[in-house]
Amino acid sequence: MQVNGEQVTLEKPVSVADYLEAHGFRAERVAIELDGEIIPRERRAETMLDDRSVMEIVQFVQGG
């Protein structure tokens, strides 16, 4: 699988929500693009990742 341009090995299929939690992302502060499609927050728990997935995680940050 590819995440933000880097190869990542998955031991088993995992949901987008579980991946984010396991890697310390705050779900309310990121946007997800999976295989060219934006994944809404309400679909993250049911959307599964596998070895062929390409995911981009964009984090929102505050600034001034």
Side-chain angles (χ1 to χ4, degrees), residues 16 30-44 46-49 52-58:
V16 171
V30 297
I32 304 298
E33 178 184 299
L34 180 61
D35 300 326
E37 177 185 349
I38 301 297
I39 305 299
R41 280 190 197 132
E42 61 272 7
R43 286 189 37 220
R44 292 178 185 174
E46 66 192 47
T47 302
M48 299 301 290
L49 302 170
R52 297 177 307 259
S53 299
V54 176
M55 181 167 62
E56 294 293 324
I57 304 171
V58 179

